[in-house]
Each structure stands twice: as C-alpha cells, then as structure tokens.
Amino acid sequence: MARQAKQKLNHELIPWRLYVVVGLVLLLFCSLVARAAYIQIIEPDRLRHESDMRTLRTTSNQVQRGLITDRNGDMLAVSVPVRAVWADPKHAYDQDAFKDMRRWQALADVLQEPVDELVNKVKNNPDKRFVYLKRQVTSAVADYIEELKIGGIYLKPESRRYYPSGEIAAQLIGITNIDDVGIEGIENTYNTWLTGTPSKQKVRKSRDGSVVERLDIVQEGESSNDLVLSIDQRIQQLAYRELKRATETYQATSGSVVVIDVNTGEVLAMVNTPSYNPNARDNLQPHRMRNRALTDTFEPGSTIKPFVVAAALEAGTVKVNELISTSPGWIRLGGRQVRDSHNYGEMSLAKILVKSSNVGISKLALSIPVQQLLATYQSMGLGNYSGINLTGESAGLIHVRHRWSDFERATLSFGYGLTATPLQIARMYATLGSGGILYPVSILKLRKVPKGEQVISTQVAHDVMKMLVGVTEAGGTATKAHIDGYPVAGKTGTSRKAVAGGYGDDYVAIFAGVAPVHKPRLAISVVINEPKGDKYYGGDVAGPAFAKIMSGALQMLNVEPRDAIHLAAVQGVHHDVIK
C-alpha cells in the first residue's frame, strides 16, 4: 500500500512542474513579442537614432595647399604629406596600453619627447577621446610608430609646407603655421586662394571603423589653386647672394634689393638680409622675417635728384642744355647753408647729377612751386602704395604743409624730409626706363602688359636717362656700378639716419638705376642699411652689388650687350656691301 501511494504522489508532482515551466516560457515569449512590438511600432525612431549615433560618421578628404612657383615653373612652396600622432586615452586604458613601458620609451625616443611627459598626456586625461602627441612627423617615423602597436595610439594624414628656395625668398614667400594657414608673406596674402575646401560625406561605419555604406554628400569640396609669381628664381638667387656678400663685407645691419621689369612692372626679385630658413621653425626671429623691401622706409638721399630735374624740365623752368651757376660752392637759405664738396662753377643738368651737386639741384627745386615738385614725386609713386598688394607694405611719407621755407624746399630736392621704401625707389627708376609710364607693381606673373599711366613726358624721361649715364662713367660718383656692354642710368644716395633731435652717425647707402640705357629692361634698387667702417657712400657700398646683379640678370634674360649689337650692325652693313 505504501509503495502504491508513493507512486501516485510522484505522478501528481510532475504535471505541476510542467505547468510552471510552460508558463514561464509563455511569459518570456509574450515579453519578447511585446518588446518587439514596442520597438517596431511605438518607438522605432529613437532606436534608429541611437543606431545612427553609433554607426553614422561624416568623413572629409584631405586637400593639399596650392603650389607657389616662379615665372618659369620652379617650385617656391610645396606641400608634402606627413602624419600626425594622436592618442585616444579611453582606448589606451581599455586596451591596457601602459603594461609595456618599453614601447612608450621607444615612442618617446622617435618623437624626441620626454617619456614622462608623453605618458602623462594620455594618463592624465582618461576620459578624453583625442590628444595630439606630435604633429607633422615624416612617413618613416609614422611607419615605425605603427610597428610599435601601442593601444590607443593612432596616426592621421596631414601636410607640411616645404620651401625649396630656403632663405633666398623667405620674407617674400612667408610661412604657414602648423595647421597649414598662411601667417606671413605671400602665404598670408593669398591664403584663401591657396587653400581648398575639403568635401564632406556622410557614411556608415562598422565596429572596426570600416566604411560599409556611403550615404550622402554633406558639402561639395573645392580644389586649391596654384600661384605663379613674377619672380625669376635665377635672378632672386643672384640678388640674394650679392646682397648677402655686401652686407657681410661692410658689416651692415640689413639690406634689400628689388628688381623690376621696366616694361611690365613685374617684380623679378625681392630679397632681404638678414634672412631665415623657413623650413626650420625652432628659433624664428621677427626682425629676420620682415620683408624690409616693402615695409622699411628711409630718406632716399640723392637718388631723388633725377626726379627734381624731370620736374623742372616738365615745368619749363629750365632747358636741357642750360647751365646753372653753383659758385661759390654753397648758398645760404634762411640762415642755413647748402654746400657742395667742391666749387663746380657753372654746371649742366647732366653734370649736376653726375657730381651730385646739392647747390645745383636746390636751385632747380626753388625754380618751381613746391606743390608741383611734390606732385611730381607723388605721380612717380612716392607716398602711395605700389599696387603689389602684399601685407605690411608702407606708403612712405611726404609731409603736407601750407608753408615751406626755402631750406625745407632745398632739402626735399636732395632726398631729406621724406621717406620711401626700396620698392618705391625701384619703381621710380622703372618709370624713367619705361619712357615716363608708371605701371602698377605686380608680384604675380602677368599674361599681358597692364595699362600704365603717363606721368612725365617720354622726351623728359629719355633726357634724364641720358644725363644719368655719366654717373657710372669716369668722373662720376659711382664708377663701381659701371657695367661693360650695358650702359647704366643710375644714381647714388647716401643719407644720414634720423635720430631724436636730429641726425646720428649711421648711414643708408643706396644705388638705383636702369639698364641698358639704349633699350631699358630692368630697374634695380640696392639699399644697404648702416654699413660700418670708412666706406659708407652709396657708390662704394651699394654700387658694386648693383653692377653684379644687373649684369648677371641681363645675361640671364638674354639681353645683348650694346657692343654686340653694334658689332652685328657693322657686320650686316659689311655683308650688304660685299653683296
């Protein structure tokens, strides 16, 4: 009986357990159905949004900064591909990246950073998702870092600006910052033109970061633009070499050279000393980065005298062949004296320029209204911007007064009481060489000759050019600027530097000129600031550099010397006679 009762009890317990299990299964199934219904019907948008937040990304392509080349296609600035090293601190902790410090030491060594500082950048920011460790590393360094396989350390592509010409064109071309944005020179002025816009695209990524679906274009990109300068790198290199040699020889504080194409207004060279290496950013000094050729002003001294002669000829107060008395070698103006180094007696206009007579040029200036003289200066570009459109350009200074004393009018004629830049001086002489046509200065290569403005008559410009030839011939003040085969129309200038209360003991030595006179092609100004020693005159200090730059540049441009042209003409006549 007991055995039968026990069997009966077991039969009753089994169905009860089965019901419980089946009930739990049904409850779970109903829960799943309810959850699915909730997801699919009631709140599908929220979950889709959460899914998109995990998988949708906006990607952008990298756009390289535009090239800068000279007029012949030689590279002056180019972007090279590099990599940026960055860390995701959260990933680094999740992947236990700090367990092997030997890898971190190797990373620090290759990045040339203290290992403690490198590790702390990541350890001290455990919740951050992005920290730069090093920007602009080379491909070789990047490949080495990838081999280290440190958790949370990644690489991304970027670009770095490289300047093949180095210090030769540093102030003119300028530099970019670490984010490839122009901050100096042409890089700054034309930053928008050189910088493209990356295209942005919405994509869906998998857990491992791979793109599985491209969805939409968020932003259309725009390609960067290249920039072709008017600079001729061969002439730029020549000018820098000779300027550096001159400033070192005379222990000058600084120097500038500007070379302009007389027939177009294009700048073929613009150099400064001291310079700097734009590819080495460790110890950049602001005074070396300044483009002195267009930012720094000085009193032009006697280089202004040819334009006084031009103003007097234009006004008709003097004739080309007229003689001016300069005896006894000085004149008194309002209690002040204007003197020459010698008593030259009666002088022609050409001799006034050749001997750089202060007395003769003062008499010419006093023969015309002061406003007319100033108007001539301004029409030639003094006191105005040149049109080069580079950041930092100075317009120079011409005082505006209602009354001028005779002595002040005289000082204006030999280059004191006003200031100019090396670029403005070169442009004024280019205007003489172009037959009195003032062209806007261009740093970009031009497709056609721009429309210029006739500021002085062609005849007056030619007459003054002929007068200036004697400056570099025997008996002139700049025989060291003479060039065999290429007659030069030029003028020296030596001006004292102004200090508080008057003038100090430092000088600016200048030579500016045009060549060849029979067919003008180039205008060059050479400015040497504060030469040391016994030699400080423009003819001695700036003249030799001018001659070497002008001679070399004309040969590079295949300009035939006058002797060769004359010989060819004679040979042509001889050939005709034989026939």
Side-chain angles (χ1 to χ4, degrees), residues 5 34 46 209 321 381:
R46 183 176 67 84
N321 55 359

Side-chain angles (χ1 to χ4, degrees), residues 27 60 131 133 173 202 206 223-224 322 333 340 378 436 451 477 505 513 527 556:
L27 181 62
S60 62
V131 177
L133 299 184
I173 304 302
K202 185 177 286 187
S206 60
S223 299
S224 59
E322 191 170 332
L333 298 173
D340 286 338
Q378 290 172 333
K451 184 178 180 180
T477 56
D505 296 327
V527 178
M556 289 173 184

Side-chain angles (χ1 to χ4, degrees), residues 343-359:
N343 179 10
Y344 294 112
E346 289 194 337
M347 304 180 76
S348 65
L349 300 184
K351 190 174 181 181
I352 287 173
L353 294 177
V354 169
K355 296 298 184 181
S356 199
S357 169
N358 288 338
V359 174

Side-chain angles (χ1 to χ4, degrees), residues 73-261:
D74 290 339
M75 295 294 179
L76 298 176
V78 58
S79 291
V80 295
V82 289
R83 311 279 284 279
V85 186
W86 64 280
D88 183 332
K90 187 175 184 301
H91 280 187
Y93 274 98
D94 292 345
Q95 298 176 37
D96 198 14
F98 303 105
K99 66 180 180 181
D100 188 354
M101 292 306 296
R102 293 175 302 171
R103 297 177 186 271
W104 285 91
Q105 183 63 57
L107 177 64
D109 290 342
V110 76
L111 295 182
Q112 297 179 346
E113 297 280 344
V115 65
D116 293 337
E117 291 183 13
L118 203 64
V119 172
N120 288 336
K121 281 184 181 179
V122 183
K123 274 190 172 182
N124 293 343
N125 300 284
D127 297 327
K128 292 188 83 172
R129 301 305 305 270
F130 187 95
V131 177
Y132 272 124
L133 299 184
K134 189 82 170 184
R135 302 285 302 275
Q136 298 185 347
V137 301
T138 62
S139 297
V141 171
D143 293 341
Y144 178 79
I145 292 171
E146 283 184 330
E147 292 296 323
L148 292 176
K149 292 183 170 57
I150 302 175
I153 303 300
Y154 304 102
L155 297 158
K156 73 170 188 172
E158 58 181 6
S159 64
R160 181 176 66 195
R161 209 64 163 160
Y162 175 67
Y163 303 96
S165 59
E167 65 182 29
I168 293 171
Q171 295 97 343
L172 176 64
I173 304 302
I175 56 173
T176 60
N177 63 16
I178 200 165
D179 293 314
D180 226 16
V181 176
I183 56 175
E184 291 287 342
I186 287 172
E187 292 275 31
N188 173 258
T189 304
Y190 292 94
N191 184 64
T192 304
W193 176 263
L194 292 165
T195 305
T197 305
S199 59
K200 294 182 179 180
Q201 190 177 28
K202 185 177 286 187
V203 299
R204 191 179 299 280
K205 289 188 176 183
S206 60
R207 286 189 64 185
D208 62 359
S210 302
V211 176
V212 295
E213 185 180 7
R214 299 186 182 276
L215 301 174
D216 191 20
I217 300 294
V218 177
Q219 175 182 299
E220 291 286 353
E222 185 177 339
S223 299
S224 59
N225 301 286
D226 296 337
L227 202 61
V228 181
L229 303 187
S230 60
I231 295 298
D232 187 320
Q233 178 63 4
R234 301 169 303 167
I235 301 176
Q236 181 85 2
Q237 187 171 3
L238 169 67
Y240 181 74
R241 184 185 70 210
E242 296 303 329
L243 178 65
K244 188 174 182 180
R245 182 178 297 169
T247 52
E248 288 177 352
T249 300
Y250 297 102
Q251 300 178 338
T253 303
S254 61
S256 298
V257 172
V258 178
V259 181
I260 294 180
D261 189 321

Side-chain angles (χ1 to χ4, degrees), residues 189-425:
T189 304
Y190 292 94
N191 184 64
T192 304
W193 176 263
L194 292 165
T195 305
T197 305
S199 59
K200 294 182 179 180
Q201 190 177 28
K202 185 177 286 187
V203 299
R204 191 179 299 280
K205 289 188 176 183
S206 60
R207 286 189 64 185
D208 62 359
S210 302
V211 176
V212 295
E213 185 180 7
R214 299 186 182 276
L215 301 174
D216 191 20
I217 300 294
V218 177
Q219 175 182 299
E220 291 286 353
E222 185 177 339
S223 299
S224 59
N225 301 286
D226 296 337
L227 202 61
V228 181
L229 303 187
S230 60
I231 295 298
D232 187 320
Q233 178 63 4
R234 301 169 303 167
I235 301 176
Q236 181 85 2
Q237 187 171 3
L238 169 67
Y240 181 74
R241 184 185 70 210
E242 296 303 329
L243 178 65
K244 188 174 182 180
R245 182 178 297 169
T247 52
E248 288 177 352
T249 300
Y250 297 102
Q251 300 178 338
T253 303
S254 61
S256 298
V257 172
V258 178
V259 181
I260 294 180
D261 189 321
V262 164
N263 301 310
T264 64
E266 293 173 296
V267 176
L268 301 185
M270 181 181 287
V271 298
N272 303 274
T273 57
S275 189
Y276 68 100
N277 183 359
N279 299 310
R281 309 293 183 86
D282 296 335
N283 297 305
L284 292 180
Q285 298 172 307
H287 76 278
R288 289 177 175 267
M289 299 172 69
R290 190 167 73 246
N291 190 351
R292 298 173 183 271
L294 54 82
T295 62
D296 289 15
T297 61
F298 56 91
E299 291 180 305
S302 296
T303 56
I304 209 73
K305 289 177 180 177
F307 307 100
V308 180
V309 174
L313 290 172
E314 286 278 290
T317 60
V318 67
K319 304 297 182 184
V320 173
N321 55 359
E322 191 170 332
L323 297 178
I324 306 296
S325 174
T326 64
S327 295
W330 57 271
I331 55 174
R332 186 174 295 278
L333 298 173
R336 306 281 293 275
Q337 272 193 356
V338 174
R339 305 184 66 89
D340 286 338
S341 58
H342 298 87
N343 179 10
Y344 294 112
E346 289 194 337
M347 304 180 76
S348 65
L349 300 184
K351 190 174 181 181
I352 287 173
L353 294 177
V354 169
K355 296 298 184 181
S356 199
S357 169
N358 288 338
V359 174
I361 209 70
S362 296
K363 286 191 171 184
L364 290 179
L366 292 170
S367 72
I368 58 178
V370 65
Q371 295 304 329
Q372 189 168 349
L373 177 62
L374 293 177
T376 300
Y377 287 170
Q378 290 172 333
S379 69
M380 302 288 285
L382 283 185
N384 299 312
Y385 294 106
S386 66
I388 198 169
N389 295 324
L390 289 180
T391 305
E393 182 186 7
S394 173
L397 177 65
I398 296 181
H399 291 287
V400 178
R401 299 177 185 171
H402 296 294
R403 297 184 64 185
W404 293 81
S405 70
D406 287 346
F407 182 76
E408 288 171 336
R409 292 170 63 184
T411 58
L412 286 175
S413 71
F414 45 84
Y416 286 89
L418 68 158
T419 63
T421 64
L423 175 62
Q424 288 175 324
I425 296 298

